[in-house]
Amino acid sequence: MTDGISVLILVLLAAVVAVALIRRKPPRPKTDKPPKPPEAQAPKPSETEDDAEEMAPPPFEPEWEREEMPPEEAPSWERETAAPEPELAPPMPAPMPEMAAPVDNRYWVQRLFFGTDRNVERQEETGPVFGHRRANALTLGHTDITIPREAHRLGKVERPKEITLFKVTLWKQAEDPAKHFTVHKTEILSETAFTGMAAEAAQSAATYANTAFVFIHGFNTTFAEAMFRAAQLAHDLGFDGPAFAYSWPSVGETLDYVTDMDSADNAVTFIDRFLEIVFNVPGVEKVHLVAHSMGNAALAQLLTHAGTSLSQRGRAIEQLVLAAPDLDAGEFGNIHSHFTAAAKGVTLYACASDRALLAAQKIRGNYIRLGDVGPEGPMVVPGVDSIDVSAVGTDLFSLNHNVYAQDRGVLDDLGALFLTGQRPPRLRMPTLEEIAGQRGIYWRMPR
């Protein structure tokens, strides 16, 4: 009896356990991933894609980005490239090339029309970047250079600061168009587009009506540096006509003097063709030309070689300025007539403290350079106004090689020369001191 009751109790307990196991829910599988938040779940079938986009939170925008860009105003590069609304676009019989970059209250934009026989090294967002190798062909185009409105000082080319050691850049400040000269856009053009855009600039000029300004850079200058310097000159002079610049393949290194000299000689044919295009721009009646440093060596080849277009044009240049020219002073005494035959006025800016010319003099066997000022004063030849600017040549960081572009007095004289063409120099600049030197009369700019 007792054994039967025990068996019955065991059977009942087993049945209870079995029923409990059957009714028990299986445990929730463990997972390392958290459940999806409500905003990450897929929209209900009734929601459209547009509704889903409206529900999505706005993208994160750092505070520093919001502070730099005024609210409700697209960046300048977006305003430039954004397609116009079709209904607002005025009807035009034929599309015309863009003449100016968009206006921005942080900077001015100076457009330059360039020619070069450099190679295209790479493409960037702003356009082609030219290197220092020879392309052995002429390329035409325009580049828009930004000039900071508040940070710019007369005669300076403000660029990011950097720290270098043995030609290795250890640190460089970020480019900012509100603080630095920058390349806004560079574009290669056909000859037709090039002359058309330049013609429109010539015809719209007021102060320098129907006048072109051409800059040929010198030794140790990259393409970008040449454009920055030309833009600075045009801007600080208030030049509102078409500004042109030719950039031959300078390496842009101090130790590559001989390579630069060969590249300048090799560029003569292309410079000649470039100047011919400039002279033929519709609306251009006057052409002022500034040749700097070794750019004068290329110019000398153009003027002294028979058969070049420039040598056969007569006095096609209105005012020719030889700025710190890297030419043999003795040789210039023999060939100066070629310069005076090509221009209505020729002006020489010479500086005794130009260190780049002193270095060139050592390489050239200690023969005095035309841009230097010796104990007897600068070189004086008939038909050339020689001006000694040594007193203002104190900018150590530029090695005094760009004194003509960095001093107020020189810029004032250059501007007056372009506007009036008055000679002798003292007529346009009463502060110049007339000196009766052993070689003849020259002028000295006071400190």
Side-chain angles (χ1 to χ4, degrees):
M1 182 76 178
T2 303
D3 294 338
I5 293 173
S6 298
V7 171
L8 180 61
I9 292 173
L10 291 173
V11 170
L12 289 173
L13 288 173
V16 172
V17 172
V19 171
L21 290 172
I22 292 172
R23 285 188 171 186
R24 183 181 178 186
K25 291 183 179 180
R28 187 183 184 96
K30 294 182 179 180
T31 176
D32 294 332
K33 298 180 180 179
K36 292 183 180 180
E39 59 270 19
Q41 295 176 357
K44 296 178 182 180
S46 61
E47 295 174 348
T48 63
E49 293 183 1
D50 293 337
D51 294 332
E53 290 181 1
E54 292 178 359
M55 295 172 61
F60 173 74
E61 182 182 10
E63 291 184 10
W64 61 268
E65 290 185 0
R66 294 197 297 271
E67 292 176 355
E68 284 193 358
M69 189 58 59
E72 300 182 6
E73 181 178 355
S76 60
W77 54 90
E78 289 185 4
R79 294 198 299 275
E80 177 186 18
T81 58
E85 294 293 336
E87 62 271 14
L88 298 178
M92 297 181 66
M96 293 296 293
E98 181 191 7
M99 282 306 299
V103 177
D104 192 297
N105 58 10
R106 298 172 300 164
Y107 53 78
W108 296 288
V109 175
Q110 176 66 54
R111 171 156 292 184
L112 296 171
F113 299 96
F114 68 82
T116 185
D117 57 310
R118 294 175 182 261
N119 69 312
V120 175
E121 190 173 72
R122 64 184 184 277
Q123 291 285 338
E124 290 188 353
E125 191 174 334
T126 56
V129 176
F130 293 92
H132 66 269
R133 297 191 179 279
R134 303 173 191 172
N136 289 317
L138 174 62
T139 299
L140 301 173
H142 77 76
T143 184
D144 293 331
I145 303 299
T146 67
I147 302 174
R149 287 180 180 267
E150 295 187 6
H152 179 57
R153 297 295 177 266
L154 190 79
K156 302 292 183 181
V157 174
E158 291 82 8
R159 290 290 296 151
K161 298 178 181 178
E162 61 181 63
I163 299 175
T164 60
L165 181 64
F166 301 115
K167 297 185 180 181
V168 177
T169 301
L170 303 178
W171 172 83
K172 185 175 182 179
Q173 185 182 17
E175 268 193 352
D176 183 353
K179 300 177 180 178
H180 311 122
F181 278 61
T182 68
V183 178
H184 180 79
K185 180 177 66 174
T186 301
E187 185 178 0
I188 294 175
L189 302 172
S190 67
E191 183 175 333
T192 301
F194 181 87
T195 55
M197 296 172 74
E200 186 172 338
Q203 293 162 5
S204 63
T207 304
Y208 291 89
N210 307 114
T211 303
F213 159 63
V214 182
F215 175 71
I216 303 177
H217 69 80
F219 162 63
N220 188 17
T221 306
T222 65
F223 179 87
E225 290 168 346
M227 298 302 113
F228 292 150
R229 179 57 72 188
Q232 174 262 312
L233 277 171
H235 174 81
D236 289 351
L237 288 171
F239 190 84
D240 58 352
F244 297 86
Y246 191 89
S247 182
W248 49 273
S250 168
V251 178
E253 295 288 345
T254 306
L255 298 179
D256 287 298
Y257 182 89
V258 176
T259 303
D260 273 16
M261 184 171 56
D262 291 341
S263 292
D265 288 342
N266 187 73
V268 168
T269 301
F270 308 113
I271 297 175
D272 192 31
R273 175 60 185 148
F274 177 73
L275 292 176
E276 187 70 11
I277 294 172
V278 172
F279 286 125
N280 290 326
V281 169
V284 171
E285 300 174 3
K286 297 179 181 179
V287 176
H288 302 310
L289 194 155
V290 176
H292 175 225
S293 177
M294 197 178 284
N296 287 277
L299 182 61
Q301 296 287 345
L302 268 177
L303 295 175
T304 57
H305 285 185
T308 62
S309 297
L310 184 59
S311 65
Q312 299 175 1
R313 270 191 166 269
R315 291 191 168 182
I317 302 172
E318 189 73 14
Q319 296 297 330
L320 174 58
V321 177
L322 315 179
D326 187 2
L327 285 174
D328 184 285
E331 181 185 6
F332 185 74
N334 299 323
I335 65 172
H336 72 274
S337 60
H338 293 276
F339 287 76
T340 55
K344 296 176 182 176
V346 182
T347 301
L348 165 66
Y349 288 128
C351 180
S353 54
D354 193 306
R355 299 191 180 188
L357 285 182
L358 294 176
Q361 184 174 320
K362 293 181 179 180
I363 295 174
R364 299 277 194 164
N366 288 323
Y367 287 101
I368 298 175
R369 312 312 292 165
L370 179 60
D372 192 14
V373 178
E376 299 177 354
M379 186 71 177
V380 177
V381 296
V384 177
D385 294 329
S386 298
I387 303 177
D388 179 3
V389 297
S390 301
V392 295
T394 57
D395 194 334
L396 178 63
F397 297 103
S398 69
L399 300 179
N400 292 324
H401 201 50
N402 285 327
V403 62
Y404 71 95
Q406 295 176 334
D407 182 75
R408 170 80 269 180
V410 176
L411 282 168
D412 284 344
D413 182 60
L414 195 59
L417 176 63
F418 285 177
L419 280 173
T420 68
Q422 288 182 316
R423 303 175 65 197
R426 197 169 182 180
L427 290 179
R428 61 179 186 265
M429 284 288 290
T431 57
L432 291 176
E433 181 184 2
E434 184 174 313
I435 306 294
Q438 295 182 9
R439 297 173 176 172
I441 294 176
Y442 67 93
W443 289 263
R444 179 184 294 158
M445 187 164 290
R447 184 177 297 275

